[in-house]
Amino acid sequence: SLVTSWESVVGRTISRATKDIYIKEGKLFVVLNSSVIRHELTLIKQPLLNRLNEEAKAEVITEIVFL
């Protein structure tokens, strides 16, 4: 699942800053403990969304929400 493959997609540093991750109604919610990483991920939101859907081999996620 996307939740379990999060670290392989974003890397160890971002994975360690992730406090929680879940999918609800096609949206991926990512709770982070770093405002700097939250901002950086916001800048690459669309490519990240594409990569996660590629990993899932389907369009599972329509939006990413960083909290």
Side-chain angles (χ1 to χ4, degrees):
S1 81
L2 287 177
V3 173
T4 56
S5 62
W6 177 248
E7 183 174 345
S8 67
V9 173
V10 298
R12 189 176 190 129
T13 301
I14 293 171
S15 180
R16 283 184 169 175
T18 304
K19 290 170 55 178
D20 193 16
I21 182 169
Y22 58 93
I23 299 170
K24 184 175 181 181
E25 298 175 4
K27 292 183 182 180
L28 178 68
F29 291 86
V30 183
V31 182
L32 298 158
N33 64 11
S34 166
S35 60
V36 173
I37 291 176
R38 185 180 308 112
H39 177 71
E40 291 294 319
L41 289 176
T42 301
L43 297 176
I44 61 161
K45 186 185 278 192
Q46 191 59 49
L48 182 58
L49 177 80
N50 295 340
R51 191 154 172 223
L52 288 165
N53 282 328
E54 285 172 17
E55 183 79 18
K57 296 177 177 47
E59 192 171 323
V60 179
I61 304 299
T62 58
E63 188 177 341
I64 303 175
V65 179
F66 299 111
L67 305 170

